[in-house]
Amino acid sequence: KAGVTQTPRYLIKTRGQQVTLSCSPISGHRSVSWYQQTPGQGLQFLFEYFSETQRNKGNFPGRFSGRQFSNSRSEMNVSTLELGDSALYLCASSLRGNEQFFGPGTRLTVL
Amino acid sequence: QQQVKQSPQSLIVQKGGISIINCAYENTAFDYFPWYQQFPGKGPALLIAIRPDVSEKKEGRFTISFNKSAKQFSLHIMDSQPGDSATYFCAASIRNSGNTPLVFGKGTRLSVIA
């Protein structure tokens, strides 16, 4: 069974731009969660989608948004990028919500 | 605030030794405690998880010990190998009354030296 895939793997943007990251969950998994990982803050929860509905949301500004499609694939969008948004963005999929399997992440660098 | 405190930040262990990483939590509603292993350039991989109705769970060289009254749990890696060198994260969430997001500790960078 294929694991969680994330595209692109690396991204370089400049301040003020927007970015869209994509995640394809493990086949059959309907829950997709997004996390931001930085050296200073560690792994922080962004949001979770289940059956195209946002089920949980972390404490991030409204510039961070996401959505899930009917095939369970998910995208997250960050608008008006700031230097502090530079991070590894991780997507995790699960069948029942807690046993989460992570993808390799998208490394975002904001210049 | 839901927090999970992890220690130590970094750990150096001799090959063949025991690596011990500790975590403490505050929210007594947490009922699912996984450990993740992350290698550089990779996403975290689920290693082992425990529920609070058991005090210990063992899978190969990896053991979770759980102390509900102290609100602490730890990961023991027996016979540590250089290939175990990675960053380890503990986490916690509420599983029974609706799935809540995983709350992660800050991580422990383990180096196993020969």
Side-chain angles (χ1 to χ4, degrees):
Chain A
K1 206 178 227 185
V4 177
T5 57
Q6 292 187 245
T7 56
R9 291 293 313 278
Y10 303 91
L11 209 48
I12 299 175
K13 292 285 186 180
T14 56
R15 278 180 298 173
Q17 287 187 308
Q18 75 161 14
V19 67
T20 299
L21 313 181
S22 182
C23 170
S24 292
I26 293 170
S27 177
H29 286 192
R30 295 166 63 192
S31 169
V32 173
S33 298
W34 289 89
Y35 293 83
Q36 182 195 64
Q37 185 176 25
T38 59
Q41 298 300 315
L43 280 148
Q44 293 190 287
F45 171 75
L46 281 155
F47 27 67
E48 182 208 1
Y49 287 88
F50 182 86
S51 294
E52 302 178 67
T53 301
Q54 188 179 83
R55 190 157 70 170
N56 285 297
K57 188 177 189 308
N59 190 25
F60 277 81
R63 301 185 296 108
F64 292 81
S65 63
R67 59 178 175 168
Q68 187 179 34
F69 302 95
S70 58
N71 61 358
S72 294
R73 190 177 70 84
S74 178
E75 288 181 347
M76 69 162 280
N77 184 277
V78 188
S79 62
T80 320
L81 283 166
E82 300 177 359
L83 294 179
D85 297 333
S86 294
L88 181 67
Y89 289 89
L90 291 159
C91 165
S93 78
S94 67
L95 193 57
R96 284 178 289 272
N98 276 91
E99 208 167 66
Q100 297 191 8
F101 298 90
F102 283 82
T106 294
R107 172 75 60 188
L108 172 65
T109 302
V110 182
L111 303 176
Chain B
Q1 185 181 356
Q2 297 183 352
Q3 269 192 317
V4 176
K5 293 183 179 177
Q6 184 172 347
S7 63
Q9 275 188 301
S10 62
L11 183 61
I12 299 175
V13 173
Q14 292 276 351
K15 179 183 174 182
I18 302 174
S19 304
I20 301 174
I21 304 170
N22 301 299
C23 284
Y25 62 96
E26 299 172 357
N27 187 348
T28 54
F30 285 146
D31 60 4
Y32 175 71
F33 304 90
W35 284 89
Y36 283 84
Q37 177 190 57
Q38 185 176 29
F39 292 104
K42 306 282 188 183
L46 180 62
L47 201 56
I48 186 173
I50 197 168
R51 300 291 300 274
D53 50 350
V54 296
S55 59
E56 187 175 282
K57 183 175 181 179
K58 184 176 181 179
E59 285 185 6
R61 296 184 295 109
F62 300 92
T63 300
I64 300 179
S65 296
F66 185 83
N67 186 329
K68 189 174 181 178
S69 60
K71 295 187 288 184
Q72 294 176 347
F73 58 109
S74 59
L75 176 70
H76 295 233
I77 306 174
M78 313 299 286
D79 187 27
S80 298
Q81 299 297 314
D84 297 329
S85 298
T87 300
Y88 293 81
F89 295 92
C90 63
S93 70
I94 303 169
R95 194 172 193 173
N96 280 339
S97 54
N99 291 319
T100 64
L102 288 170
V103 178
F104 284 88
K106 288 292 180 74
T108 296
R109 183 171 291 183
L110 171 66
S111 297
V112 181
I113 56 176

